[in-house]
Amino acid sequence: MAIPHAQFAKGEAGEGIIRLDGSWDAAHGDALERLVAEMGEAAAHHDGALVVILDRLVSLDTLGAYLVFRLCSRLAEAGRSVRLEGATESQKILIEEVSFAPPPAAGDRRSLAPAYDMLSDVGEAVVDAGRDLSNGVAFFGAVVAAFGRLLTGRTRLRIASVVTQLERVGLRSVPIIMLISFLVGAIIAQQSIFQLRTFGTVQFVADLLGILVLRELAVLLTAIMIAGRSGSSFTAELGSMKMREEVDALQTMGLDPLEVLVVPRILALMIALPLLTFLAAMAGIAGGAVVAFFYGGVSSDVFFSRLQNAIGLNTFMVGMIKAPFMALVIGLIACIEGFAVRGSAESLGSHTTASVVKSIFVVIVVDGMFAMFFAAINY
Amino acid sequence: MSIFSRPAPANERPDPPPELGLPIIEIRDLTVGFGERLIMDGLELDVRRGEILGVVGASGTGKSVLLRTIIGLVHQRKGRVRVFGHDMGQLTPQRRRLIERRWGVLFQHGALFSSLTVKQNIQFPMREYLDLSESLLDEMAMVKLRLVGLKPEAAERFPSELSGGMIKRAALARALALDPEIVFLDEPTSGLDPIGAADFDELIATLQKTLGLTVFMVTHDLDSLAGICDRIAALGDGRVLHTGPLDEMKKQSHPWLQAYFNGPRARASHFYTQPAGGRTT
């Protein structure tokens, strides 16, 4: 296709003639921009009437037409008389269609000194955090009220929904959680044996492993895995339902989204997480035991008798009591973030990320608070 | 156009478009199926340059699948699709991209990128393929917005803040961003109120006239068929039942065509109140 040209010449009657040639289309956009600038420059040095002649054009599309229009209108604005010649009927219509004066570019928001920006960012972050907290408390209250209605029999429990969620949250995460706990248990046992060997007290690996896994590791690992696995999927599900107005549809049918969507999910989490924690604890101890037998050379008699000595019911209970609370915070955060999703795909992504990050953070904070509490009551 | 494709060399256009009235898209013996189900079986269809072709058919006869097959989103089992005289199945990916640049697609639900503003959506293909200055990009986006009848204020809004009709218009502006020669429209007036739909029809007809577009339009809207389509192709039983101007379609004896073009809704629409197929190209 023909490369676009433009020529400026003086006509017989002293008028300036701008003759356009070639393909004035989007494919030659950068060349056209330059040509128009050049022609505008050339015409500015000439005084007298101006004529833009299009008779040699091979093609003209909206971009070309707009540039022709812009050339003419800028010259006209500068007080020159300009006329178009040699345009075909369809070219005239096209130029007519695209002729529009761009609004004056809106000036950017006057940016203040960087210090102000930083201060305002910090302020916004603090306000956001406060709003997160108050939203969380309000949502928690609404969920408690929904559970209350459930317990007093004013709404029915959606058993099918709870069971489905239980399968997805509980049953399907059993393999990965047990595998990870087994491996972490094994790694901890190996490291402990390696250090305890120096003192010749390898058999104490059973004490260390039992207490560590039952009190802390099993529940923490499980909660973090579930926050990543189920928390993210809750947020994404609820978020996309929100985007497609499915949540609004529920509301218009007289159903409370909290009762239909949130309660079954949180209930399933609160049932599944203690069970998974128990499995994780067993897998972790099994992993440690295997390493103790084969790497540490501890006989199974010694290992299990030490284990029995070291741990009591309270060691086990400390881990288990924490599990439903972890489930509650994971479920609450996932659902709050899910309902906070707005129209765009980007918002869905950022809320899912926020859900996982916040859940893991809060899980660890809650674990720390429990540690202080149990230490205080000497349990 | 594929958003994954790399920018093709800017000033290389393989060949001029065919003469007005000659086939710009030729479909021969097209067979498409999903699993056991055969959607199209030996379908043949020509789209002529400069016309507005309306494609109709009962639900599930594969109107959208046909559109998606032509633009390469669905693969055929058998048969040929020629666009601008090129067999789309035989092209190298680079040649394909050159062809893809020459058409625009308006998807049924707009398919605007939800994380970009309307202006950025329109500029997206221009940025990928054209080498324009930032100020010209902004001005061109405004030109396209005006072309499809949107107010300048809409430029900075996100798709989730637009009404259904505005989404369609913005999506059309994006489809027109590269000045395509063919525009594919998938149910452009569905979900619009009758006045909005009539406006949109008008818009398509105007753009077709001023830009010399060829329009391939899947539609259910009897008013669009009567008002702006030059020819109509009816799909059924995996092939084209009949193609022709509206008058001809009304005279066909096929039971579905009878029901469609002479049914109560057809009689209630503009079919009988305005001269059908009155627009000439």
Side-chain angles (χ1 to χ4, degrees):
Chain A
M1 283 224 152
I3 292 168
H5 289 292
Q7 248 179 1
F8 184 80
K10 240 179 213 167
E12 286 157 13
E15 77 276 30
I17 297 175
I18 298 171
R19 176 160 258 149
L20 311 181
D21 197 349
S23 305
W24 278 57
D25 56 23
H28 302 93
D30 52 335
L32 290 180
E33 257 193 291
R34 239 176 309 117
L35 281 177
V36 167
E38 277 169 25
M39 286 302 107
E41 191 77 3
H45 294 302
H46 175 89
D47 31 57
L50 294 163
V51 189
V52 179
I53 303 180
L54 308 179
D55 59 352
R56 289 194 195 153
L57 282 188
V58 178
S59 65
L60 185 74
D61 68 2
T62 50
L63 181 81
Y66 176 70
L67 284 172
V68 170
F69 159 77
R70 195 167 78 168
L71 176 65
C72 297
S73 67
R74 290 214 174 146
L75 290 171
E77 266 168 35
R80 320 294 300 273
S81 96
V82 190
R83 68 172 194 279
L84 271 176
E85 266 182 23
T88 64
E89 205 51 43
S90 63
Q91 285 169 345
K92 270 185 206 156
I93 299 173
L94 187 56
I95 294 173
E96 188 64 33
E97 278 291 321
V98 300
S99 54
F100 108 106
D108 285 335
R109 196 166 56 91
R110 202 160 52 88
S111 83
L112 299 160
Y116 284 109
D117 280 352
M118 202 187 74
L119 277 178
S120 81
D121 282 352
V122 170
E124 271 172 38
V126 171
V127 170
D128 280 350
R131 197 174 297 138
D132 263 8
L133 192 68
S134 71
N135 280 349
V137 172
F139 194 82
F140 179 50
V143 169
V144 169
F147 269 106
R149 285 197 294 277
L150 202 69
L151 289 177
T152 52
R154 272 187 287 169
T155 54
R156 70 189 170 81
L157 178 64
R158 285 155 213 282
I159 304 218
S161 178
V162 174
V163 172
T164 314
Q165 293 299 336
L166 257 179
E167 188 202 337
R168 294 177 48 199
V169 173
L171 197 59
R172 288 179 193 232
S173 28
V174 167
I176 185 67
I177 284 176
M178 286 190 73
L179 178 67
I180 286 187
S181 306
F182 184 88
L183 292 176
V184 170
I187 292 164
I188 285 173
Q190 189 270 335
Q191 288 296 316
S192 324
I193 289 168
F194 189 74
Q195 302 298 331
L196 290 172
R197 233 176 223 158
T198 336
F199 310 104
T201 52
V202 172
Q203 69 276 21
F204 283 108
V205 69
D207 302 50
L208 209 153
L209 190 73
I211 293 170
L212 193 57
V213 166
L214 288 180
R215 284 187 82 110
E216 294 293 338
L217 266 185
V219 68
L220 261 186
L221 275 178
T222 311
I224 289 173
M225 284 294 297
I226 289 294
R229 201 180 167 279
S230 307
S232 60
S233 91
F234 285 1
T235 306
E237 278 166 22
L238 296 181
S240 69
M241 288 183 79
K242 186 90 197 288
M243 277 164 77
R244 289 156 193 254
E245 301 178 321
E246 290 173 47
V247 177
D248 300 343
L250 271 178
Q251 218 144 17
T252 55
M253 291 176 206
L255 296 170
D256 183 0
L258 226 55
E259 280 166 22
V260 180
L261 300 173
V262 175
V263 166
R265 282 182 168 78
I266 291 185
L267 197 60
L269 265 185
M270 289 177 71
I271 297 171
L273 206 64
L275 299 177
L276 289 169
T277 301
F278 175 75
L279 290 178
M282 294 305 115
I285 289 175
V290 168
V291 170
F293 302 154
F294 294 108
Y295 175 77
V298 183
S299 74
S300 59
D301 286 352
V302 174
F303 185 86
F304 285 116
S305 68
R306 285 241 46 96
L307 196 63
Q308 214 169 11
N309 265 331
I311 62 177
L313 187 63
N314 68 327
T315 323
F316 173 71
M317 287 313 290
V318 164
M320 296 303 283
I321 287 170
K322 287 191 275 194
F325 292 95
M326 303 290 196
L328 184 64
V329 295
I330 293 170
L332 284 176
I333 290 173
C335 293
I336 292 171
E337 291 294 331
F339 284 128
V341 169
R342 295 280 166 269
S344 74
E346 203 180 0
S347 144
L348 182 61
S350 69
H351 280 289
T352 309
T353 308
S355 157
V356 175
V357 172
K358 282 183 195 168
S359 311
I360 292 179
F361 171 70
V362 174
V363 158
I364 290 172
V365 169
V366 168
D367 191 60
M369 285 170 12
F370 269 112
M372 293 193 298
F373 172 69
F374 287 129
I377 64 167
N378 227 341
Y379 186 60
Chain B
M1 112 173 30
S2 160
I3 57 163
F4 298 112
S5 50
R6 308 169 139 269
N11 40 13
E12 185 191 332
R13 285 212 165 175
D15 40 28
E19 290 298 309
L20 221 59
L22 288 179
I24 196 165
I25 301 174
E26 297 161 80
I27 301 167
R28 293 288 172 269
D29 190 27
L30 188 71
T31 304
V32 178
F34 301 112
E36 297 276 292
R37 213 155 47 94
L38 216 54
I39 310 274
M40 270 165 240
D41 189 7
L43 182 140
E44 317 235 323
L45 180 66
D46 279 347
V47 183
R48 300 177 193 154
R49 186 173 165 232
E51 74 174 348
I52 299 184
L53 177 75
V55 177
V56 300
S59 294
T61 47
K63 302 176 297 291
S64 294
V65 175
L66 175 62
L67 191 155
R68 294 170 74 87
T69 312
I70 298 173
I71 60 181
L73 294 176
V74 172
H75 292 285
Q76 66 257 44
R77 293 207 178 143
K78 211 172 73 177
R80 260 198 350 228
V81 176
R82 292 171 72 85
V83 183
F84 305 115
H86 294 279
D87 187 340
M88 295 305 285
Q90 305 287 317
L91 292 178
T92 61
Q94 260 147 356
R95 304 275 297 166
R96 258 196 87 87
R97 262 176 245 132
L98 282 178
I99 304 277
E100 282 169 350
R101 258 189 67 171
R102 296 168 67 186
W103 69 48
V105 184
L106 169 61
F107 287 95
Q108 197 174 347
H109 302 291
L112 292 171
F113 303 123
S114 58
S115 49
L116 303 180
T117 62
V118 169
K119 187 173 93 180
Q120 290 166 333
N121 261 290
I122 298 171
Q123 288 173 340
F124 186 84
M126 298 196 218
R127 267 181 215 284
E128 287 293 308
Y129 285 112
L130 306 178
D131 191 10
L132 302 179
S133 70
E134 204 59 33
S135 63
L136 187 58
L137 272 175
D138 280 353
E139 287 168 38
M140 282 314 290
M142 293 323 236
V143 168
K144 304 279 171 180
L145 270 184
R146 212 186 81 115
L147 216 52
V148 298
L150 281 177
K151 296 214 168 63
E153 297 91 84
E156 299 303 331
R157 292 213 223 148
F158 284 94
S160 56
E161 301 162 355
L162 300 179
S163 70
M166 288 167 89
I167 287 178
K168 297 251 167 175
R169 282 168 193 266
L172 183 64
R174 188 180 69 179
L176 295 174
L178 293 175
D179 276 298
E181 290 158 56
I182 310 176
V183 181
F184 294 94
L185 309 173
D186 196 352
E187 307 213 3
T189 53
S190 75
L192 300 186
D193 66 278
I195 298 168
D199 274 358
F200 206 82
D201 281 345
E202 185 100 349
L203 171 66
I204 291 167
T206 315
L207 291 176
Q208 190 262 355
K209 244 182 287 175
T210 45
L211 306 177
L213 298 172
T214 306
V215 179
F216 180 103
M217 174 159 73
V218 170
T219 187
H220 275 302
D221 189 335
L222 290 158
D223 292 328
S224 314
L225 291 172
I228 64 167
C229 289
D230 298 305
R231 283 198 312 147
I232 297 170
L235 302 190
D237 312 326
R239 53 196 183 83
V240 176
L241 295 174
H242 194 80
T243 48
L246 185 66
D247 287 337
E248 214 179 297
M249 301 302 282
K250 280 196 257 182
K251 293 184 195 125
Q252 295 301 308
S253 59
H254 189 283
W256 188 81
L257 293 181
Q258 271 295 326
Y260 193 95
F261 290 103
N262 293 316
R265 289 182 72 98
R267 279 201 297 275
S269 79
H270 289 177
F271 274 32
Y272 292 84
T273 55
Q274 73 185 50
R279 211 174 58 81
T280 50
T281 34

